[in-house]
Amino acid sequence: MTKPPVIGRTREEMAQRLALDIPDGSYVNLGIGIPELVAKFVPAGRSLIYHTENGMLGMGPAPSPGEGDPELINAGKQRVTALPGTAYFHHADSFAMIRGGHLDLCVLGALQVAQNGDLANWSTGEPDAIPAVGGAMDLVAGVKSIFVITQHCTREGEAKLVQKCTFPLTGCAVVNRIYTDLAVIEVTPNGFRLVELSPGIDFNFVQERTAAPLLRTPERIEAG
Amino acid sequence: MTKPPVIGRTREEMAQRLALDIPDGSYVNLGIGIPELVAKFVPAGRSLIYHTENGMLGMGPAPSPGEGDPELINAGKQRVTALPGTAYFHHADSFAMIRGGHLDLCVLGALQVAQNGDLANWSTGEPDAIPAVGGAMDLVAGVKSIFVITQHCTREGEAKLVQKCTFPLTGCAVVNRIYTDLAVIEVTPNGFRLVELSPGIDFNFVQERTAAPLLRTPERIEAG
Amino acid sequence: MIDKRVASAAEAVSDIFDGATIMIGGFGEAGSPVELIHALIDQGATNLTTISNNTGSGQVGLAALLKAGRVSKVVCSFPRTANSTVFPELYRSGRTKLELVPQGTLAERIRAGGAGVPAFYTPSAVGTPLAEGKECREFGGRKYLLEHGIRADFSLIKGRVADTHGNILYNKTARNFGPLMAMAAKVTIVQVAEVVEPGQLDPESIVTPGIFVDRVVAIANPAHESELVEAGASYP
Amino acid sequence: MIDKRVASAAEAVSDIFDGATIMIGGFGEAGSPVELIHALIDQGATNLTTISNNTGSGQVGLAALLKAGRVSKVVCSFPRTANSTVFPELYRSGRTKLELVPQGTLAERIRAGGAGVPAFYTPSAVGTPLAEGKECREFGGRKYLLEHGIRADFSLIKGRVADTHGNILYNKTARNFGPLMAMAAKVTIVQVAEVVEPGQLDPESIVTPGIFVDRVVAIANPAHESELVEAGASYP
């Protein structure tokens, strides 16, 4: 029996799966990369309001190529549009929203997530890399829920879900949920808990690619 | 020889004298009472911009009686007007201006001023008085120059310029100059220094009504 | 569809509970949410802590809430008003406690609470009776006091116009504490004279972004405290 | 008569001295005061410390100032840009030092500097390498870091329109650090596309009140960094 060429969810399918879990009316900050895809998959009937840390609520999609204003950009420095109800504000107000717990959800990429919710996503710690952190440490410290969206393993096949991060941390015990190509995983006081397997993926397949124990206790027991 | 009925400067004359010392273009906060009179006497050719701590720069004079907007008021809760160039802002921004040292001058009344510049102007410390401080402690802590305008003595004839304040302090070593009915006095590292006597007043008359030594050293010596 | 409008002031304040901490906007009468306060009096919650700059005047608005015996503690910078005897009586009789806070420190503490800053240092009040019991620390050779951010269960605020997303504009010096209190409460309730659709407010001019606002109530012709006092009104 | 206009960018930056600390507005290219930075390159001041969110791109604006060897230290949250090799080379060769600050902490430190707050506590970066050497303290059972306010000798900022009193409006997300840096420098210099008379801006909509602004320079058609980079421009 030959291995199928694609296993688990694509990036778009991961974004689509995550989007299902965002309640209507949420204030959301989407990180650069896969997180940005989430906006495309918000289910019909739900309105989200997007925050970008460089000073805007009500961000809309990118304009047509060549259109837009070079001074209307998102945190990834790409041109965006403004939806009705947009407000602009300065950086201190923007991070007051973040740090003060006013945003409902932030979706971020990850290098590593530890079983206690530690996140590493800003630096590989290589000595000649130019350190650059941006707003990630503020986002994870302040936003009510932190969802990570990431491939389950690196291109080299190494686990990104680990017992303890080896890369420099972005924040301690901050991640709530992880959406990967293989599964949806929750961070609980007892470690990683499987919420859902991607179609065609079985538990052992995920556990083998996760460098920490993966609980399958049902949520109702966890809650007790 | 009979004593003349009025000695020294009137309230208006005190305000007029103080106004002479405010440079063109200054950002100024005027306290409630005699300080408010200063705005009437700014010499021709000078423009000052008035700040009121309840959220406005560019405050103009009171409107005609019965006119104005009950939501356009000064720190004394009296209706005012807005001059061209006015900006409104919230209380944290307003006190950022004050605390951050952006205002050039604040003119305040006083219960007592000590020879080291301590100011008491918010409470007589009587046990049944309702304590109320407002913005005075922020103003004296933050504004670049603090000028006090006050009668030299209380109605009962007690000195207001003292060695050490007996009333609760508003701030420590904050007053720069004092404009009274009898004199203009500077607070120096060596104590009170006479800058100028009011017309018809002699030094001994002022010293007798000042409960701390009054230096008459010329400024050029002080500066050394 | 995001729509933060609620039908009435009564509905807006219906879940305020006994013992709640409530920030109430306004400096003097400017920005005082008179109709929301009156709805709160009708609603009946008691043993409240209020955070506000003043304590109201006459027998209406904040003074009426105090007079009705609903407030056990007042956090305030200037609890003395020309036309009020309500708070002085409560204070002297020991029925209402007072935490006196310099105005700029009060504003900054509310902003800090809303901005996720638990504490900060300020030069205001150093060496005064209001520094008693507070940590004092030197930075750059100057003394500062440690002050703590404050948050509340509810904020009651008055704006001029809102859109249905809760973006708020204010009127002149009625802005005062509104934008800060909006940030610092679990539930922020704003009364405005007019509610418009999203897109009708200039995004460059919005003072309080809707993220800080939970409920918007239209009160088309809000009362002015001074006019009520002049007319000898009392509430209820 | 208050009139904060100066005739040219060159005149506006003429007194910037060797060793000065300079805040430079902008997030990416949005709000980057390109013409003021170019005037500073012409002016020649060196051994500068810059405080900014990024380090510019291509060979223009902030990247050009760095390339000219004028900056000995960069305080920055994200000194890495798609189209820049300037800062990485300077950093790797040790010619320019870097103080890396989380973006929200950088913004709050600048605001604190401008607001007379010498230090504050923040939850950002607790437990990370950027917490090393910083005081950590618990409030309400959670850990926070002590961070210090920062001030500068000069701020270079880009607005959209100013009046002659120095009241400033911005353009969309070009607002970013401008209003904060305006508060935190001894001398704040703002380039705007248009200068109007006092009274022509709505007092409710002013973002930076003139008290924070020292000099206003009209630059009618400011360059956009991305367009310069795309055209392969370099400065000087």
Side-chain angles (χ1 to χ4, degrees), chain A residues 13-22 30 38 105 107 147-149 179:
Chain A
E13 288 165 347
M14 289 156 61
Q16 191 164 20
R17 175 62 192 82
L18 189 152
L20 285 179
D21 291 348
I22 310 179
L30 299 177
V38 171
L105 176 66
V107 183
F147 286 3
V148 159
I149 190 164
Y179 295 78

Side-chain angles (χ1 to χ4, degrees), chain A residues 70-82:
Chain A
E71 298 198 318
L72 177 50
I73 60 176
N74 65 13
K77 290 153 193 133
Q78 302 302 308
R79 292 188 191 185
V80 293
T81 52

Side-chain angles (χ1 to χ4, degrees), chain D residues 194-211:
Chain D
E194 192 190 359
V195 184
V196 300
E197 292 299 314
Q200 292 190 255
L201 304 179
D202 176 4
E204 299 280 9
S205 303
I206 286 165
V207 177
T208 293
I211 191 171

Side-chain angles (χ1 to χ4, degrees), chain D residues 32-129:
Chain D
S32 181
V34 173
E35 285 74 10
L36 289 177
I37 299 170
H38 288 174
L40 176 59
I41 293 172
D42 297 344
Q43 190 259 20
T46 191
N47 192 27
L48 304 172
T49 295
T50 59
I51 299 168
S52 59
N53 192 65
N54 307 101
T55 54
S57 62
Q59 316 278 325
V60 295
L62 187 49
L65 181 71
L66 283 155
K67 191 173 187 196
R70 306 293 175 71
V71 180
S72 52
K73 183 179 172 187
V74 160
V75 180
C76 190
S77 102
F78 205 86
R80 214 160 54 195
T81 315
N83 298 311
S84 179
T85 54
V86 172
F87 180 77
E89 282 172 21
L90 289 167
Y91 178 76
R92 289 203 184 91
S93 69
R95 275 173 294 165
T96 301
K97 280 180 284 191
L98 170 65
E99 178 182 343
L100 188 68
V101 184
Q103 197 174 133
T105 299
L106 182 62
E108 191 68 10
R109 286 180 65 190
I110 297 168
R111 181 196 174 271
V117 169
F120 62 91
Y121 290 92
T122 175
S124 304
V126 168
T128 78

